Amino acid sequence: WYCNGRLATDTGPFVAQLSEMCSSFCLTFVGFCNVYAISMNRNQIETLLEELHQIYPRCTKNHYRCQHYFDMAMRIMRIEFLFYMIFYVYYNSAPVLLLLWEHLHEGYDLSFKTQTNTWFPWRVHGSALGFGMAVLSITVGSFVGVGFSIVTQNLVCLLSFQLKLHYDGISSQLVSLDCRRLRAHKKLRILIAYHCRILQLGDQVNDILNFVFGSSLVGATIAICMSSVSILLLDFASAFK
């Protein structure tokens, strides 16, 4: 970008392309952070899921709305999956469709635009093979990033609804607790210990996902700011992409 910037004749398009590149870089950074967080915390995640599985309420316990939270979690994860897949297909098919449209309409020069303004060690503009390799490499890279993002979002959804299920069950048992009965104090002590255990699990969830939340917040904020530069420069195509 430094070499191309010295040769640029128009400042507006160059700044718009630069902001688009920075936005893509920030989203790539978020993807790498998701990969790092899942890989480094794999043992902690497995231990946490195993513990949640052990304390998962059985169907005979009426204080837990297992089916309700299961349906909500599955609905949210399906929506997230469709959201990611729709934009993944759009993002990676747009360069090919644009090139095909330019080829079918006379008077248009083939632009050979890839998904983002990225440098490749081979010739892309004017080469069908180089263009195909460039699009394929970005497609594979974005597939890995989107895959880990979906895994991270599903993990957040799963852990959140697991904790909600237990908190809801504890509150239901406290409401139904009759202090006039014998051994009610023992039941209360069991619920307090159970609540403390759930709070500890919540702290473990926060420790695992704090890095994910922080990196996503920083990366997404910078990406939005960089995209707004393209909007201000009236480069709606790059901003929308």
Side-chain angles (χ1 to χ4, degrees):
W1 280 104
Y2 172 74
C3 296
N4 294 333
R6 293 186 303 173
L7 302 177
T9 57
D10 195 353
T11 305
F14 173 73
V15 175
Q17 292 177 359
L18 183 62
S19 63
E20 180 188 348
M21 183 204 66
C22 293
S23 177
S24 301
F25 176 77
C26 290
L27 295 179
T28 304
F29 168 76
V30 172
F32 274 113
C33 289
N34 289 331
V35 174
Y36 174 80
I38 296 297
S39 302
M40 294 300 296
N41 297 315
R42 178 180 177 180
N43 294 331
Q44 293 89 327
I45 293 173
E46 291 178 351
T47 303
L48 179 61
L49 291 177
E50 182 178 357
E51 190 168 357
L52 287 173
H53 177 71
Q54 292 176 357
I55 64 175
Y56 188 80
R58 300 296 179 261
C59 298
T60 55
K61 297 183 179 181
N62 299 324
H63 294 287
Y64 296 89
R65 298 185 295 170
C66 298
Q67 190 62 39
H68 169 72
Y69 285 108
F70 174 80
D71 293 338
M72 288 185 62
M74 291 299 297
R75 189 179 303 113
I76 291 176
M77 287 190 285
R78 288 194 187 100
I79 293 174
E80 289 177 348
F81 178 78
L82 291 176
F83 176 82
Y84 275 100
M85 285 298 101
I86 289 173
F87 284 97
Y88 172 78
V89 172
Y90 162 75
Y91 179 75
N92 292 292
S93 62
V96 179
L97 295 177
L98 176 62
L99 187 66
L100 181 61
W101 185 83
E102 292 173 345
H103 175 71
L104 295 177
H105 290 76
E106 297 181 358
Y108 287 93
D109 295 331
L110 299 181
S111 58
F112 291 95
K113 288 184 178 180
T114 57
Q115 292 93 321
T116 183
N117 295 307
T118 308
W119 177 83
F120 294 95
W122 59 82
R123 181 168 172 260
V124 176
H125 186 77
S127 173
L129 180 60
F131 174 77
M133 292 177 60
V135 172
L136 180 61
S137 62
I138 297 178
T139 301
V140 173
S142 60
F143 177 79
V144 175
V146 168
F148 272 91
S149 296
I150 293 176
V151 170
T152 304
Q153 296 300 323
N154 289 344
L155 182 63
V156 172
C157 182
L158 175 63
L159 296 177
S160 299
F161 278 99
Q162 282 280 334
L163 295 177
K164 284 185 177 181
L165 171 66
H166 290 286
Y167 286 132
D168 185 46
I170 292 173
S171 62
S172 177
Q173 294 180 67
L174 287 174
V175 170
S176 62
L177 184 63
D178 190 356
C179 298
R180 295 172 298 179
R181 294 183 179 180
L182 296 176
R183 305 173 64 88
H185 67 285
K186 185 177 181 180
K187 178 66 175 178
L188 181 60
R189 292 175 61 184
I190 294 175
L191 289 177
I192 293 175
Y194 177 37
H195 185 226
C196 293
R197 186 179 183 186
I198 299 301
L199 290 177
Q200 292 176 356
L201 293 178
D203 291 336
Q204 295 180 24
V205 172
N206 289 332
D207 293 338
I208 294 173
L209 299 178
N210 277 339
F211 180 76
V212 175
F213 291 147
S215 60
S216 299
L217 178 62
V218 173
T221 302
I222 298 176
I224 292 174
C225 293
M226 292 296 101
S227 298
S228 65
V229 175
S230 297
I231 297 176
L232 292 175
L233 294 174
L234 301 181
D235 190 0
F236 294 105
S238 298
F240 184 73
K241 182 173 67 175

